[in-house]
Amino acid sequence: MTNTASVSGSLEPDVTARPARSEPRKRRYRRGQLFGLAMLAPTLIFVSVFFFAPIILTAVTAFTNMTSATGITGGAYLITPTVVRELQQQGFAPALVQALEQQVIHVDDATLAAAREAGVAENFLADIAANLSGRQFASERDFERELKQFQSRPRRIRDLKLAIEPFTESILNQRFGNRADATAAVYSVAPDVTPAELDTVLKNSYTGWVWTTENFAKLSADKESLRVFLNTVFYVSTTLAFNVLVALFMALALFYLPPTTGSVFSALWLLPRITPVVLYAVMWKWFTWDNGFIANLAGYLGLPSFNYMKGSVPTAWTIVILVNGFVGASLGMILFSGALRAIPRQQLWASEVDGASRLQQVRCIILPQLRWPIMFVTCYQALSLVGSYEQIWLTTNGGPGRTTTVWSLEAFRTALLNYSGNLQYGMGAAMALVLVAGGLVVSIFFLRLFRFNDLVEKPRIEL
């Protein structure tokens, strides 16, 4: 001991020595913090890249009209016949529509030079310049009729039409790289167009993606979205009830069985969880299709024999719930079985001494101590079911019709498996964002239902 207090024999602490001792502590504390951050860095990077980044990108994409047609980069302005028809359906003036789609053919020095650069034969150009210079044609057919009178014309119709192109002036099917060029082109054929009409023309002709909230407006106004939402609520609620109740029943049954028998049943009950998803779906198809086990058994018993997976809406929903229910119930059974083994056996022995039945043990001793596992299994399974679609896609594929289509399956099809070939990334992201919000609502509901704050509060007694 070399401090001043011990040398002087005084009992008062030496305040002047405290800073000298606290500096090393601070350095050790900072080193500890840096070491902790270094240990957490891989986890933070992993979570940022594979969790937060996809959520942020999904949220950003949800507010765009991005599709496989628009691409993810910038677009151009292209007035096509389809765009002209859409403007006509929107009530545009016929004169403006006609101006946008009109084709005017001029024969002058500029168009002759353009034809020469395009490779048109010189003798043919000489005949055109000598006989048609200064004339204007309202249609390609009239100009073609005049050209066919020349002996120097191309013999192939395709070559003749290629020779006509340099003389044709039109903004139809021409690609403009920016808004200024497209605006100038529209004014060149329709100088009386109003700013509002011009904005509509440019908006309809733009091939790139733009920021918009129309995805959410379409989802809220579409009746099909409401039907898919109700399908999802029915699917999640019924399958979740099957998962939790069956898992709890199986765990309690195995708890009271002899250990060897319980282990065998536990191993068999794990088969739906450990079987690959595709193989699991194929097994259910063999089991429920036209020539499957159920159809043959029903025919033997004199019952209707048909494809129980897709033959009717009630049987399709039953198969969908059972396929997903057995997978979730096996996981819940494992968790409940582990929680049951943690209950002190002395409590059960004391209840037996007092004459309690099995049902009374379950109701008064076991279930109150399983609140945490039940809450976890309920929340986990609910969130899994909200976002799951694999088993439905591989079995009923949302059918018959679209009766078993749920929200996640519809979002997957919209964004990544559109039968029309135009993948709607923006709409699919909007549906996924709604799904995330729904998952948060479900989580908060179950946390309040199981009184999560009471479960995590400090014990009121000290052991």
Side-chain angles (χ1 to χ4, degrees), residues 379 382-383 386-387 432-446:
C379 292
L383 294 178
V386 166
L433 198 61
V434 173
L435 204 62
V436 173
L440 291 176
V441 173
V442 170
S443 302
I444 295 173
F445 170 75
F446 282 119

Side-chain angles (χ1 to χ4, degrees), residues 145-160:
R145 187 182 301 115
E146 294 288 341
L147 296 181
K148 286 182 178 179
Q149 299 177 5
F150 303 143
Q151 293 297 325
S152 59
R153 73 180 190 278
R155 298 305 171 187
R156 296 173 56 189
I157 298 298
R158 181 175 179 274
D159 294 337
L160 181 61

